[in-house]
Amino acid sequence: HLKRAINRVVVIGTGVMGSQIAAHLANVGIQTWMIDIVPSHLTTEEQKKGLTLQSRKVRNRIAETNKRKLKTMKPSPITSDKSLKLLFTGNLEDDLNVLSKADWIIEAVVENLDIKKDVWKKIDAYRKAGTLTSTNTSGISVEKIIAECSKDLRKHFVGTHFFNPPRYLKLLEIIPAKDTDPNVVQFIKSFAENKLGKGVVEAKNTPNFIANRIGTYGLLITVKEMITHGYRIGEVDSITGRLIGRPKSATFRTLDIVGLDTFIYVANNVRNYADGDEKEVFTVPAFIRKMQRKGWIGSKNGQGFYKKVKKNGENRIYELNIHTFEYEERTKLSTPAMKKAFNEKTIEGKLKALVYASEDRAGDFLWNTLKRVLLYSARLVGEICDNIQSIDQAMKWGFGWELGPFEIWDAIGVRH
């Protein structure tokens, strides 16, 4: 078995994920190529300079622009300017020969099966036998992506689902395909853990893999509970954040960061595949689709569930009223069970204070949402991965949960 070294990586697709994955590789000292498509028309600036569609500068523009963006992104994807020197840019027509010199080729183009398949034809034609390959996708079947590729490529291929932002989020889901050599899975896993600082979880080839399958389910259950029992956005976020061992962005601030466009796309992945109760849960509520139509998709568009409003010269955060579609003063919830939970030192204590509270607005909300997420997670063992540890790790590393679903069960005192 060949001793492998990863000295040169090619990342194809330099959007938000591709460029940051490339940056993360450069951060650990790996020479990385960022490759993207050739633009179909000139910018006004390029015209003024007398450039043509044949000019190298124009042909590399997309990758070059996305490399420059790395300097201004927050939080910063690069550890220092030294990383930028290890990033080389190119395009999918003139630079395909670099594929034959790569130790690992990562495809991170848009989430569209036909476009991905097209890129994989090119990879297959140029890569040398034995080269590692992977696709970064959050929900497309990895088998379908490489269905038409050569046997050697299929043997050296896995899905690698990085979480955004890749420099900071620990989770990397690795999805072997049916022809993947187990040694390849092992190698990429140990490389990702030891060199890239990742927490790796092996997932099966099902829609949205592990973390996004359960995380999206949890978010949708939370939104539906809010609608059914008339909670406000700020109230839900006061229950579903730090108080229960989740990130302070809780539910709706998290959705604003992710972007409703992405969220709806990920939800539809499961909806198109599921049936019965699961299909219903993954049907995005009408008010969220209305927000998308209005372009209120979250932080990147300046407003979503929350919006910064200037009032008397100071910035205030307002929340969306989902019935009137007006932005209003933020609401907070405070209940006896929440006060009790705040005073508990441990996450176990906090959860027990809330889920065992009867007739408490926060306790009821939490138990109604939590029990469904716990049962859903249990139902998926074997379908999305082989063991409960993988599910717990995926939720902790990918969604910043302090306890995974099965640890929550232990914490609230389920009998085995």
Side-chain angles (χ1 to χ4, degrees), residues 294-313:
K294 285 178 166 292
W296 299 359
I297 57 171
S299 320
K300 56 187 165 193
N301 273 14
Q303 70 191 91
F305 294 104
Y306 292 107
K307 181 184 183 178
K308 263 201 187 102
V309 176
K310 251 203 166 30
K311 196 161 185 198
N312 312 331

Side-chain angles (χ1 to χ4, degrees), residues 7 20 32 56 241 280 289 295 297 307 324 342 345 347 352-353 362-363 370 375 391 399:
N7 300 313
Q20 292 188 89
T32 307
R56 186 72 184 170
E280 190 198 353
R289 292 203 297 273
I297 57 171
K307 181 184 183 178
T324 64
F342 271 121
K345 297 281 178 281
I347 183 65
K352 278 183 175 162
L370 195 55
L375 290 168
I391 291 181
F399 274 77

Side-chain angles (χ1 to χ4, degrees), residues 174-189:
I174 290 186
I175 307 95
K178 61 176 188 296
D179 298 331
T180 308
D181 177 346
N183 290 318
V184 167
V185 179
Q186 224 16 69
F187 176 81
I188 291 184
K189 181 175 193 283

Side-chain angles (χ1 to χ4, degrees), residues 16-201:
V16 174
M17 284 309 284
S19 63
Q20 292 188 89
I21 291 167
H24 191 58
L25 289 156
N27 288 337
V28 300
I30 295 168
Q31 197 189 75
T32 307
W33 281 77
M34 295 171 62
I35 290 188
D36 217 311
I37 54 174
V38 173
S40 52
H41 36 253
L42 295 169
T43 62
T44 8
E45 216 165 290
E46 287 166 342
Q47 280 170 336
K48 278 188 193 137
K49 289 182 179 159
L51 297 169
T52 70
L53 286 175
Q54 268 37 69
S55 315
R56 186 72 184 170
K57 241 193 165 114
V58 175
R59 293 173 75 79
N60 284 0
R61 181 207 325 139
I62 297 175
E64 218 20 82
T65 307
N66 288 332
K67 177 184 169 178
R68 269 201 308 276
K69 278 187 191 160
L70 292 168
K71 286 194 209 176
T72 53
M73 281 169 111
K74 282 185 174 53
S76 175
I78 53 171
T79 42
S80 74
D81 283 347
K82 211 164 76 190
S83 301
L84 295 171
K85 294 194 176 68
L86 287 170
L87 291 172
F88 300 87
T89 53
N91 68 68
L92 265 175
E93 288 171 27
D94 309 322
D95 300 298
L96 288 168
N97 60 328
V98 303
L99 294 175
S100 65
K101 303 186 189 82
D103 301 308
W104 182 10
I105 299 162
I106 302 173
E107 168 271 308
V109 303
V110 297
E111 291 280 72
N112 171 308
L113 183 59
D114 294 333
I115 295 174
K116 282 190 185 288
K117 283 174 92 160
D118 231 32
V119 169
W120 280 94
K121 278 198 189 88
K122 292 190 164 118
I123 294 173
D124 211 357
Y126 283 88
R127 82 181 255 286
K128 67 178 188 289
T131 306
L132 298 174
T133 55
S134 72
T135 177
N136 181 65
T137 172
S138 60
I140 296 178
S141 160
V142 297
E143 297 289 357
K144 285 185 181 156
I145 290 172
I146 48 140
E148 289 148 34
C149 291
S150 65
K151 202 170 156 187
D152 185 82
L153 187 147
R154 294 204 310 268
K155 187 177 151 186
H156 294 92
F157 166 89
V158 292
T160 43
H161 181 208
F162 286 85
F163 276 65
N164 189 17
R167 181 184 161 195
Y168 299 92
L169 275 188
K170 197 173 166 70
L171 182 61
L172 173 63
E173 292 178 328
I174 290 186
I175 307 95
K178 61 176 188 296
D179 298 331
T180 308
D181 177 346
N183 290 318
V184 167
V185 179
Q186 224 16 69
F187 176 81
I188 291 184
K189 181 175 193 283
S190 72
F191 177 81
E193 287 172 345
N194 302 324
K195 196 82 177 163
L196 301 178
K198 291 290 167 201
V200 176
V201 167

Side-chain angles (χ1 to χ4, degrees), residues 158-351:
V158 292
T160 43
H161 181 208
F162 286 85
F163 276 65
N164 189 17
R167 181 184 161 195
Y168 299 92
L169 275 188
K170 197 173 166 70
L171 182 61
L172 173 63
E173 292 178 328
I174 290 186
I175 307 95
K178 61 176 188 296
D179 298 331
T180 308
D181 177 346
N183 290 318
V184 167
V185 179
Q186 224 16 69
F187 176 81
I188 291 184
K189 181 175 193 283
S190 72
F191 177 81
E193 287 172 345
N194 302 324
K195 196 82 177 163
L196 301 178
K198 291 290 167 201
V200 176
V201 167
E202 204 178 304
K204 293 181 187 268
N205 184 37
T206 52
N208 297 349
F209 314 120
I210 303 173
N212 277 346
R213 177 82 170 262
I214 292 171
T216 308
Y217 181 88
L219 287 163
L220 284 162
I221 286 289
T222 303
V223 172
K224 293 183 179 193
E225 182 67 15
M226 170 183 85
I227 298 168
T228 313
H229 291 111
Y231 290 78
R232 304 272 311 265
I233 279 167
E235 292 182 324
V236 172
D237 276 357
S238 12
I239 311 168
T240 56
R242 283 271 183 262
L243 186 65
I244 60 164
R246 303 276 170 87
K248 61 174 189 290
S249 56
T251 300
F252 292 104
R253 180 81 188 94
T254 298
L255 286 170
D256 275 352
I257 297 165
V258 168
L260 287 190
D261 47 349
T262 306
F263 178 66
I264 290 170
Y265 165 78
V266 171
N268 286 339
N269 272 340
V270 181
R271 185 174 177 264
N272 299 336
Y273 153 97
D275 45 41
D277 173 54
E278 191 178 19
K279 193 180 204 73
E280 190 198 353
V281 173
F282 280 92
T283 303
V284 173
F287 85 90
I288 292 185
R289 292 203 297 273
K290 180 175 172 184
M291 288 171 71
Q292 187 189 28
R293 287 195 299 274
K294 285 178 166 292
W296 299 359
I297 57 171
S299 320
K300 56 187 165 193
N301 273 14
Q303 70 191 91
F305 294 104
Y306 292 107
K307 181 184 183 178
K308 263 201 187 102
V309 176
K310 251 203 166 30
K311 196 161 185 198
N312 312 331
E314 59 168 336
N315 273 329
R316 302 278 287 280
I317 305 279
Y318 274 38
E319 66 180 44
L320 182 68
N321 176 324
I322 65 166
H323 306 291
T324 64
F325 267 69
E326 305 286 330
Y327 285 89
E328 301 170 354
E329 295 267 348
R330 262 171 103 165
T331 53
K332 280 203 167 44
L333 187 63
S334 179
T335 71
M338 286 172 81
K339 290 198 177 87
K340 194 176 162 202
F342 271 121
N343 293 325
E344 291 286 342
K345 297 281 178 281
T346 64
I347 183 65
E348 288 80 4
K350 290 179 191 301
L351 286 168

